[in-house]
């Protein structure tokens, strides 16, 4: 398969990441099917994307024609079977290995034999998923950053099972949708950005839990002294505290090391349903009417 053969993209999972990845692909000129088992989630995704696109139009970043054309290329579907003509599928569902393996096994039976199956996960490397398919050489990680409509970089990871052709096609595809790809030549959980960011977040949570400073003050230090665009606690609220929780639980299950478990404060937030912006409360409290997910 060559890059010109990739014409229709499937994106599975219509949360903030999945829906924005789908729109990025549609804006890049591709026909896209955004799938979710929940019709309600698909409706919310459509409304959220309309809001994002209207703001881009009002700021002059996109024209109304460009946006309408992109929506014309984007199909919202609750039927996984509708992905049967896709050439590349990007999975963006919950960060749980069992769920991803179950999905990839289903996709393998639905999509054409030549199609690439990619996971957006930055924690679960594709070698943990590829064996449930009949095409491990066509399975890889294609990791977008949140928010996908804004963030420029995409990490492409070639696992030990991934063919050179698949990795190169993924890199070319990323360029075609206007993003900047970085190719990791071998797997490592967390890849590059999140491994570095994870160390920062771990230290921020340690300082908070041990009473050295409040979360607002730690965020302020990161933005004003380190010149970061957003502090670690604001970032966790943006991406979802449950994502941090699942990432750490996955790492703990792999290592058995108690130090890899989610911090207690993160566990408490998740158990209380305080997941950040999407629930209206995390480390900060948000006005739901103003929250743009």
């Amino acid at each position: 398969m060559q890059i010109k053969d990739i014409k229709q993209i499937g994106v599975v999972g219509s949360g903030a990441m999945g829906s924005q990845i789908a729109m990025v692909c549609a804006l890049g000129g591709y026909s896209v099917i955004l799938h979710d088992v929940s019709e309600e989630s698909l409706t919310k995704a459509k409304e959220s994307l309309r809001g994002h696109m209207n703001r881009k139009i009002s700021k002059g970043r996109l024209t109304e024609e460009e946006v309408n054309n992109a929506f014309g290329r984007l199909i919202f579907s609750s039927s996984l079977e509708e992905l049967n003509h896709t050439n590349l599928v990007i999975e963006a569902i919950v960060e749980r290995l069992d769920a991803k393996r179950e999905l990839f096994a289903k996709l393998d039976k639905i999509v054409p034999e030549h199609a690439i199956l990619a996971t957006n996960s930055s924690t679960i490397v594709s070698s943990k998923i590829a064996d449930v398919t009949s095409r491990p050489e066509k399975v890889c990680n294609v990791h977008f950053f949140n928010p996908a409509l804004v963030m420029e970089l995409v990490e492409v990871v070639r696992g030990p099972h991934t063919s050179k052709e698949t990795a190169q096609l993924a890199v070319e595809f990323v360029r075609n949708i206007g993003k900047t790809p970085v190719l990791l030549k071998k797997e490592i959980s967390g890849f590059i950005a999140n491994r570095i960011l994870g160390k920062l977040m771990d230290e921020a949570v340690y300082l908070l839990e041990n009473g050295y400073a409040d979360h607002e003050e730690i965020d302020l230090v990161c933005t004003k002294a380190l010149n970061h665009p957003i502090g670690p606690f604001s970032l966790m609220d943006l991406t979802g505290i449950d994502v941090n929780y699942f990432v750490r639980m996955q790492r703990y299950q792999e290592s058995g090391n108690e130090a890899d478990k989610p911090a207690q404060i993160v566990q408490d937030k998740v158990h209380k349903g305080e997941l950040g912006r999407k629930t209206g409360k995390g480390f900060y409290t948000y006005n739901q009417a103003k929250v743009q997910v």
Side-chain angles (χ1 to χ4, degrees), residues 156-202:
V156 176
V157 185
R158 183 182 177 188
H161 53 282
T162 309
S163 70
K164 185 177 180 180
E165 177 199 36
T166 294
Q168 191 53 47
L169 279 171
V171 166
E172 289 181 50
F173 164 74
V174 169
R175 288 200 185 102
N176 277 1
I177 57 174
K179 299 294 185 182
T180 302
V182 167
L183 176 62
L184 276 74
K185 298 167 185 64
K186 56 183 181 179
E187 288 183 338
I188 185 169
S189 180
F191 310 155
I192 297 173
N194 282 348
R195 286 184 71 84
I196 295 170
L197 180 62
K199 297 297 184 185
L200 173 72
M201 285 188 168
D202 287 350

Side-chain angles (χ1 to χ4, degrees), residues 218-246:
I218 296 170
D219 275 359
L220 189 64
V221 169
C222 290
T223 56
K224 298 300 183 183
L226 303 180
N227 205 27
H228 291 184
I230 187 172
F233 295 103
S234 293
L235 182 58
M236 275 192 272
D237 275 4
L238 176 64
T239 57
I241 296 171
D242 53 330
V243 173
N244 179 282
Y245 175 85
F246 286 131

Side-chain angles (χ1 to χ4, degrees), residues 1 84 86 108 110-116 134-135 137-138:
M1 186 168 68
N84 62 348
T86 53
D108 188 52
I110 293 170
V111 304
E113 291 182 3
H114 67 266
I116 294 172
S134 61
R135 65 187 90 193
E137 75 283 357
K138 296 185 182 299

Side-chain angles (χ1 to χ4, degrees), residues 227-292:
N227 205 27
H228 291 184
I230 187 172
F233 295 103
S234 293
L235 182 58
M236 275 192 272
D237 275 4
L238 176 64
T239 57
I241 296 171
D242 53 330
V243 173
N244 179 282
Y245 175 85
F246 286 131
V247 166
R248 295 304 294 263
M249 282 303 294
Q250 178 68 31
R251 193 181 306 168
Y252 168 65
Q253 287 162 8
E254 289 176 5
S255 70
N257 185 347
E258 289 289 322
D260 286 336
K261 271 187 176 180
Q264 189 60 52
I265 194 169
V266 170
Q267 294 184 47
D268 292 344
K269 291 284 185 189
V270 170
H271 294 152
K272 287 190 288 187
E274 297 176 359
L275 308 181
R277 286 177 173 263
K278 59 188 173 185
T279 60
K281 186 175 182 181
F283 289 101
Y284 297 89
T285 301
Y286 302 89
N287 179 344
Q288 280 294 77
K290 295 182 179 179
V291 172
Q292 299 164 3

